[in-house]
């Protein structure tokens, strides 16, 4: 599992922190400690907000109440690190945990955790901020092995077959296709399953909406293809044969760079889409 280091951000205005801010901050801190790594830099305690108030002033110069007690409890439980915020910003990969929404700036918005829960809409799934941050860094990967090691953390709502990456180098230079590859996997992960259900498992209609609504070139069984592409998958001790004709096409309609997938089975992670081959045209 790919774990990122996250750091608590000092508040821009401690006196404006609400009770709801503190409780949501606590929930996010607990979640990050379970799934990633969370630290508070020593410098955090000395930094002043726009009113020249530090977190120490906020905690100890006011009359104690339940809000301050809970906030102190959260802060005191976190691991301390010696890195300054300047040191942190020099790191290649990291994230921030803001205390309140107002602490998020245009500069750090893409790497701040504000939401830890996936949200479902009619035809799509909005994944949590941790997944979004990992996708943000995945775009910079220039090695397919690193991509394979990290991809499941970025697209947790699809299943990757053990053979999915055998032909991935046929896509070309990793750094040159990464953004397009992530675009396709994002659509399959966030939209594919719900669209297939929305269209009552009608493959043709689903593929048409993937093209018209999400800008993903794709098709099912080609007009010149007589045979179906099949894969065996072992899941939970059982063997399933998958028909895997649907595929997306990177960049353009007539391309040899493709992602083959199966719409899934009820028995395999509640009918999640299964990615079976990333690479060139399936000729096997």
């Amino acid at each position: 599992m790919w774990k990122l280091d996250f750091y608590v951000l000092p508040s821009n205005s401690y006196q404006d922190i609400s009770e709801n801010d503190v409780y949501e901050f606590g929930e996010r801190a607990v979640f990050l400690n379970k799934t990633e790594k969370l630290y508070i830099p020593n410098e955090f305690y000395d930094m002043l907000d726009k009113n020249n108030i530090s977190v120490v002033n906020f905690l100890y110069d006011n009359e104690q109440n339940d809000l301050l007690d809970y906030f102190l409890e959260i802060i005191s439980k976190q691991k301390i690190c010696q890195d300054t915020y300047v040191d942190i910003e020099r790191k290649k990969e990291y994230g921030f945990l803001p205390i309140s929404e107002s602490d998020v700036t245009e500069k750090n918005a893409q790497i701040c955790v504000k939401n830890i829960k996936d949200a479902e809409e009619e035809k799509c799934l909005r994944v949590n901020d941790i997944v979004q941050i990992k996708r943000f860094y995945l775009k910079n990967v220039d090695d397919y092995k690193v991509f394979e090691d990290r991809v499941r953390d970025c697209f947790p709502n699809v299943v990757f077959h053990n053979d999915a990456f055998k032909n991935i180098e046929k896509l070309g230079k990793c750094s040159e296709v990464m953004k397009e590859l992530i675009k396709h996997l994002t659509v399959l992960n966030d939209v594919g399953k719900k669209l297939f259900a929305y269209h009552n498992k009608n493959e043709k209609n689903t593929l048409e909406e993937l093209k018209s609504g999400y800008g993903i070139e794709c098709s099912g069984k080609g007009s010149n293809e007589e045979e179906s592409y099949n894969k065996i998958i072992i899941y939970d001790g059982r063997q399933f044969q998958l028909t895997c004709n649907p595929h997306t096409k990177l960049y353009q309609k007539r391309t040899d760079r493709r992602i083959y997938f199966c719409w899934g089975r009820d028995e395999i992670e509640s009918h999640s889409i299964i990615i079976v081959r990333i690479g060139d045209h399936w000729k096997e």
Side-chain angles (χ1 to χ4, degrees), residues 161-190:
H161 192 281
N162 289 339
D163 293 340
F165 309 99
K166 283 176 62 176
N167 300 280
I168 195 169
E169 292 187 359
K170 300 291 181 65
L171 293 179
K173 189 175 181 180
C174 180
S175 60
E176 293 178 356
V177 301
M178 192 52 52
K179 288 184 180 179
E180 178 75 2
L181 181 55
I182 289 171
K183 174 185 173 182
H184 284 240
L185 291 175
T186 296
V187 171
L188 291 175
N189 183 91
D190 298 358

Side-chain angles (χ1 to χ4, degrees), residues 57-116:
N57 300 141
F58 175 64
L59 288 170
Y60 295 106
D61 291 353
N62 293 295
E63 185 177 343
Q64 291 304 112
N65 55 47
D66 289 343
L67 174 67
L68 290 178
D69 288 344
Y70 182 56
F71 188 54
L72 177 59
E73 180 184 348
I74 300 166
I75 296 297
S76 62
K77 286 181 177 179
Q78 307 311 317
K79 296 183 286 291
I80 301 296
C81 72
Q82 302 304 315
D83 293 323
T84 67
Y85 286 97
V86 171
D87 293 333
I88 292 165
E89 291 178 358
R90 290 186 181 131
K91 295 176 183 288
K92 189 176 180 180
E93 298 173 346
Y94 61 92
F96 285 129
L97 173 60
I99 298 169
S100 70
E101 189 98 18
S102 62
D103 300 323
V104 179
T105 66
E106 184 177 347
K107 179 181 177 182
N108 64 30
Q110 286 186 296
I111 55 173
C112 277
V113 176
K114 307 177 292 294
N115 169 52
I116 56 173

Side-chain angles (χ1 to χ4, degrees), residues 190-204:
D190 298 358
V191 176
K193 178 180 175 180
K194 289 186 71 66
L195 273 187
F196 193 54
Y198 179 83
H199 288 291
N200 297 314
K201 300 184 179 181
N202 183 300
E203 180 179 281
K204 180 182 178 182

Side-chain angles (χ1 to χ4, degrees), residues 12 18 25 47 53 55 101 126 131 151 197-198 202 217 226 230 237 248:
N12 185 49
S18 68
F25 171 68
M47 297 185 72
I53 296 173
V55 68
E101 189 98 18
R126 181 168 58 82
V131 170
V151 70
Y198 179 83
N202 183 300
E217 193 63 50
E226 297 182 1
N230 298 299
T248 72

Side-chain angles (χ1 to χ4, degrees), residues 205-235:
N205 292 344
T206 305
L207 293 175
E208 285 178 355
E209 184 159 356
L210 286 175
K211 287 191 283 187
S212 62
Y214 299 92
I216 297 296
E217 193 63 50
C218 54
S219 66
K221 189 174 182 179
S223 58
N224 296 323
E225 296 169 344
E226 297 182 1
E227 297 183 5
S228 293
Y229 303 126
N230 298 299
K231 275 286 185 182
I232 301 295
I233 188 171
I234 306 296
Y235 184 83

Side-chain angles (χ1 to χ4, degrees), residues 201 264-272:
K201 300 184 179 181
R265 298 289 186 87
D266 288 333
E267 303 92 337
I268 303 175
E269 296 191 24
S270 302
H271 224 289
S272 293

